[in-house]
Amino acid sequence: MINYIDAIAAPNKNNGHIKLHGPEGFAGMRKAGHLTARCLDELVPLIEPGLTTQAIDRFVFEFGMDHGAVPATLNYRGYTNSCCTSLNHVVCHGIPSDKPLREGDIVNIDVTYVLDGWHGDSSRMYPVGEIKRAAHRLMEVTHKSLLLALDVVKPGARTGAIGEAIQRYAEAERCSVVRDFCGHGLGKLFHDVPNILHYGRAHEGVELREGMIFTIEPMINLGKPHVKVLADGWTAVTRDRSLTAQYEHSIGVTANGCEIFTLSPAGLFTPGLGTSER
Ligand code: MF3
Ligand code: CO
Ligand code: CO
């Protein structure tokens, strides 16, 4: 049984009820999402061979501090970094390290800032120097799958419509959808109900209502969908070591569609693929 509750009246925890946010929540998310997007924009010119993912992590921490925000991942369930940096066959939750980026790598940088209590969660793919055609195509397919998913979001549709839009397109492009991680409700919490699956059928899942706030963050593989988590307890990789990509936005459901809180103000949401704010 799914219940929806007015976010103003809801306790600040995951009690299984889906929070419906009003103008105050949307305003808070707009600010947090915008800061996250600005950070991801500023990283674009910095990503080049030789840069370490630790240096990226430091930048994310400093940028947050300079703007009154704390990275939500810092000390989250034992995670001790300010962002996730997932390279090549790393699906998500890659831990920043002192290993330098190399020409031809593709890296996902996933940042969540908490600003005035609200969480802005977004990630993008960054090419390192010249990349292979297959990597370029995978990034294109993954980004387009996110756009197609955003297009189906409106009150009355179900979360399954999001999954179907992503899966239908990605599989038609001979790619596969990761099942083991999903999008999530967020707001004053980092991870809340509902789960947003990136596969499925339009009649499945819960009904979307105006005021819901959640992420869509498809992880798409060139090979099989299966992943495993390494011994560090975080790093998720493709079992077949195939290349993987991910893009993530935080959004709110509006009366006739959705508002994207993490739009790129500089149009740099898709570095390496051209100009796009979403
Ligand atoms: N930002 C990730 C997400 O999209 C979560 C990272 S949790 C961490 O939900 F602990 F791995 F950082
Ligand atoms: Co997320
Ligand atoms: Co994220």
Side-chain angles (χ1 to χ4, degrees):
M1 174 63 184
I2 310 127
N3 282 298
Y4 300 84
I5 47 172
D6 184 341
I8 302 266
N12 190 23
K13 61 179 183 186
N14 178 353
N15 60 1
H17 302 317
I18 296 173
K19 296 170 187 68
L20 300 180
H21 296 268
E24 187 196 352
F26 274 61
M29 286 302 293
R30 218 168 272 142
K31 281 192 189 161
H34 185 68
L35 190 67
T36 296
R38 280 179 53 205
C39 173
L40 292 173
D41 278 2
E42 295 223 1
L43 282 166
V44 172
L46 306 181
I47 304 306
E48 57 180 17
L51 186 75
T52 67
T53 48
Q54 244 160 31
I56 296 170
D57 194 67
R58 212 167 303 128
F59 181 90
V60 172
F61 180 78
E62 294 293 334
F63 186 88
M65 290 298 119
D66 290 347
H67 296 89
V70 177
T73 55
L74 205 52
N75 302 315
Y76 178 76
R77 296 175 185 243
Y79 193 81
T80 55
N81 293 93
S82 297
C83 64
C84 298
T85 50
S86 302
L87 269 139
N88 301 325
H89 70 292
V90 178
V91 172
C92 62
H93 304 164
I95 301 172
S97 78
D98 56 8
K99 234 183 96 192
L101 296 172
R102 291 167 46 167
E103 179 95 15
D105 285 342
I106 56 171
V107 61
N108 174 279
I109 304 177
D110 191 338
V111 172
T112 308
Y113 282 129
V114 192
L115 184 62
D116 301 332
W118 297 95
H119 291 71
D121 186 6
S122 183
S123 82
R124 306 177 189 168
M125 298 303 300
Y126 298 76
V128 181
E130 285 293 312
I131 61 170
K132 294 215 172 83
R133 285 173 72 100
H136 187 275
R137 188 180 83 89
L138 175 64
M139 296 200 309
E140 273 182 343
V141 169
T142 308
H143 175 245
K144 184 156 175 208
S145 78
L146 172 58
L147 295 186
L148 291 169
L150 291 166
D151 282 345
V152 304
V153 174
K154 61 170 186 219
R158 290 184 175 269
T159 56
I162 294 169
E164 180 171 318
I166 292 164
Q167 183 180 18
R168 192 179 285 286
Y169 172 69
E171 291 181 355
E173 292 292 329
R174 303 178 312 284
C175 295
S176 68
V177 179
V178 170
R179 310 288 204 272
D180 302 53
F181 300 96
C182 56
H184 49 93
L186 83 170
K188 290 200 166 185
L189 292 182
F190 189 3
H191 292 110
D192 202 350
V193 286
N195 283 340
I196 306 295
L197 306 187
H198 303 118
Y199 61 93
R201 304 282 305 275
H203 65 270
E204 295 168 344
V206 302
E207 192 183 296
L208 300 179
R209 298 223 183 142
E210 184 175 354
M212 282 173 67
I213 293 177
F214 54 85
T215 72
I216 306 178
E217 47 182 300
M219 286 143 275
I220 306 294
N221 301 345
L222 274 185
K224 298 240 155 60
H226 311 105
V227 314
K228 68 174 178 194
V229 175
L230 300 186
D232 59 27
W234 286 105
T235 314
V237 300
T238 53
R239 281 194 172 268
D240 61 8
R241 293 199 131 244
S242 66
L243 216 52
T244 179
Q246 178 180 31
Y247 292 83
E248 175 177 25
H249 273 312
S250 294
I251 70 170
V253 181
T254 59
N256 44 28
C258 70
E259 174 174 349
I260 303 172
F261 300 125
T262 44
L263 287 175
S264 165
L268 296 174
F269 191 65
T270 56
L273 305 180
T275 305
S276 180
E277 65 171 2
R278 60 172 212 160

